[in-house]
Amino acid sequence: MKFKPANNIQDLQYFGEFGGVNPSISDSSTYTFLSAKTMFDTFEGNADGCYLYSRHSSPSNLYLGEALAAMEDTETATVTASGMGAITPVLMQLCGAGEHIVSSRTIYGGTYAFLKNFTPRLGIDTTFVNITKLDVVEAAITPKTKVLYCESVSNPLLEVADISGLAKLAKRYNLKLVVDNTFSPLSISPSKLGADIVIHSLTKFINGSSDTVGGVVCGTQEFIDQLRNVNDGAAMLLGSTMDSLRSASVLKNLRTLHIRMQQHSHNANFLAKKFEDDGLKTVYPGLASHPSHVLFKSMMNDKYGFGGMLTIDVGSLDKANALMELMQERNLGYLAVSLGFYKTLFSAPGSSTSSEIPEDEQAEMGLSDGLIRFSIGLDADIERTYDMMKTYMLELNILKPELV
Ligand SMILES: *Cc1c(COP(=O)(O)O)cnc(C)c1O
């Protein structure tokens, strides 16, 4: 029987130490051993079920990791202090000096900056490619390449990666396919499509309350053990560990993710269709006009929709800024970066989250000045939201009355 990812989360069962319906929070940085021999074995990495020190693992972090591994259908997972705290150790674990990464060019600004400006200092080079073109990806692979890196749905342009196609390439050239699935939790299950490692920023949809940063690496037991190895594990040695109190709170939020994703997707789909009908340049993977609409459909777990992210182009940065300020003033959402909140969040990526990308490269990628990225909220009455937005767009001459 095939389970949906949300069922896998729902089917986990843990009890607190007094029979509580939530697991007890492990509020300790270090753990006692009954015998000195066990401590030695644990350092050697072969004492199952023994905790050593909370930078390595803690019961609360393991509960959250297990739930996320169930969602992503991987053997296991390790949670981290932020999304970047998941991405950077994975890439440093997989690549060393003289080695090479082929990455999508449309990725989260922080990841782009890490690969473009930071890893070259370690002797790791990256070729950035248009990830939607498998022949271009293949042509960029060299004998030194170790990793193919992409986001299932990219930030901010919502390009969709053909994960099965990339997985075949990765297999053929003996590379690891690393997929950041932050924009499409539950909708897309990269590991089922052949990804080796799946990463999330928990900061976004998964936690969903914009109260913390967090991250996760989902993969094989072997790889996660390597990351946490006390002698040469990048997660262990770079130290981006999540705090137990926080992992307990993220676990509780994770349980409503399936309901939230359905509502985010429903609302975003509604607005995208309306905006497109109004003649606005709208990018949303759920629109038939989206270049990867059919691909997304072929990969998705239907029920969770095409996600909560959409972009519109209002023509200029001035208009984008005016619209965003008006929407915030009238309480339709917040002018803020990030995503996955109950309120709609909006920003102009060219001058914010993607400002790490040089202007000429932005233009080449199709990242225009008037682009507004929306993370559509959980609004109970999305028709009212649309009516209000339309009024503002008419007011600001973004929409012309005769066209509407
Ligand atoms: C936010 C984000 C990250 C980074 O996550 P943090 O939790 O902010 O460190 C990585 N990838 C994507 C796609 C993101 O949206």
Side-chain angles (χ1 to χ4, degrees):
M1 187 151 161
K2 269 241 166 206
F3 291 102
K4 293 200 168 72
N7 297 50
N8 295 352
I9 299 171
Q10 156 195 319
D11 289 344
L12 292 169
Q13 184 186 54
Y14 355 74
F15 297 107
E17 64 191 306
F18 302 107
V21 294
N22 289 302
S24 307
I25 299 172
S26 50
D27 197 20
S28 294
S29 59
T30 190
Y31 303 82
T32 59
F33 288 86
L34 290 178
S35 83
K37 165 85 169 70
T38 323
M39 183 183 270
F40 175 78
D41 287 345
T42 305
F43 263 96
E44 294 291 294
N46 47 19
D48 257 355
C50 279
Y51 296 97
L52 174 67
Y53 184 63
S54 285
R55 176 154 41 79
H56 182 256
S57 65
S58 68
S60 295
N61 286 9
L62 289 189
Y63 288 136
L64 177 60
E66 215 180 288
L68 290 161
M71 178 180 90
E72 285 299 359
D73 198 37
T74 58
E75 283 173 21
T76 189
T78 190
V79 294
T80 55
S82 69
M84 288 309 293
I87 293 164
T88 54
V90 163
L91 294 173
M92 287 198 250
Q93 192 72 35
L94 294 173
C95 293
E99 294 176 335
H100 177 246
I101 295 170
V102 176
S103 169
S104 165
R105 62 185 185 179
T106 51
I107 50 173
Y108 177 68
T111 312
Y112 181 83
F114 178 68
L115 291 174
K116 177 109 179 165
N117 306 324
F118 195 95
T119 50
R121 290 164 46 181
L122 309 174
I124 301 167
D125 281 321
T126 301
T127 304
F128 295 96
V129 296
N130 180 344
I131 203 75
T132 63
K133 302 223 150 52
L134 289 178
D135 52 335
V136 173
V137 175
E138 183 167 15
I141 296 170
T142 74
K144 306 219 150 124
T145 309
K146 294 282 165 192
V147 170
L148 276 185
Y149 186 89
C150 70
E151 296 172 4
S152 345
V153 180
S154 80
N155 179 26
L157 294 170
L158 311 178
E159 283 179 354
V160 180
D162 174 0
I163 298 171
S164 311
L166 291 167
K168 279 190 201 115
L169 277 182
K171 249 209 171 74
R172 188 174 324 142
Y173 292 93
N174 198 23
L175 316 175
K176 294 284 182 225
L177 175 61
V178 181
V179 179
D180 178 339
N181 199 29
T182 301
F183 274 40
S184 45
L186 296 175
S187 294
I188 296 179
S189 302
S191 81
K192 290 190 182 158
L193 301 165
D196 297 293
I197 294 157
V198 183
I199 295 177
H200 282 277
S201 166
L202 302 178
T203 314
K204 315 296 170 54
F205 290 106
I206 291 181
N207 185 57
S209 50
S210 292
D211 55 1
T212 187
V213 289
V216 68
V217 182
C218 305
T220 61
Q221 187 70 51
E222 187 189 3
F223 181 68
I224 301 298
D225 285 348
Q226 282 170 14
L227 269 182
R228 289 202 290 233
N229 188 293
V230 294
N231 293 309
D232 60 5
M236 179 66 183
L237 299 177
L238 297 169
S240 60
T241 308
M242 182 178 273
D243 182 71
S244 290
L245 292 177
R246 202 42 105 171
S247 51
S249 80
V250 176
L251 178 63
K252 284 174 271 193
N253 286 354
L254 176 65
R255 295 168 184 161
T256 56
L257 179 66
H258 59 297
I259 300 169
R260 290 185 279 114
M261 284 319 295
Q262 289 176 49
Q263 188 72 14
H264 284 301
S265 291
H266 169 78
N267 286 353
N269 195 49
F270 180 89
L271 289 179
K273 290 216 154 85
K274 291 283 191 190
F275 291 153
E276 186 169 65
D277 287 347
D278 288 340
L280 282 170
K281 215 171 128 194
T282 309
V283 175
Y284 183 66
L287 294 174
S289 60
H290 190 284
S292 311
H293 176 65
V294 174
L295 173 63
F296 195 121
K297 248 184 135 155
S298 73
M299 296 195 295
M300 78 197 284
N301 300 309
D302 274 344
K303 193 170 171 181
Y304 308 106
F306 294 90
M309 304 301 295
L310 66 87
T311 70
I312 57 173
D313 192 336
V314 297
S316 72
L317 184 59
D318 285 346
K319 281 190 173 166
N321 288 343
L323 178 63
M324 293 191 294
E325 283 168 12
L326 198 58
M327 283 192 298
Q328 173 159 270
E329 193 182 303
R330 303 198 184 158
N331 196 21
L332 264 193
Y334 297 137
L335 172 46
V337 298
S338 199
L339 40 135
F341 199 38
Y342 81 104
K343 283 261 199 193
T344 294
L345 302 178
F346 34 82
S347 56
S351 52
S352 62
T353 49
S354 297
S355 55
E356 294 91 339
I357 304 172
E359 270 171 38
D360 52 327
E361 286 176 42
Q362 290 193 18
E364 202 192 307
M365 284 160 43
L367 225 165
S368 54
D369 272 352
L371 199 75
I372 306 179
R373 180 186 83 172
F374 289 88
S375 162
I376 304 299
L378 299 173
D379 309 26
D381 185 351
I382 197 65
E383 289 182 45
R384 186 190 70 154
T385 305
Y386 168 69
D387 289 340
M388 290 166 75
M389 284 184 72
K390 186 154 129 186
T391 311
Y392 309 157
M393 289 197 266
L394 286 165
E395 211 171 297
L396 295 170
N397 263 320
I398 292 167
L399 289 176
K400 307 275 182 291
E402 68 271 19
L403 293 176
V404 179

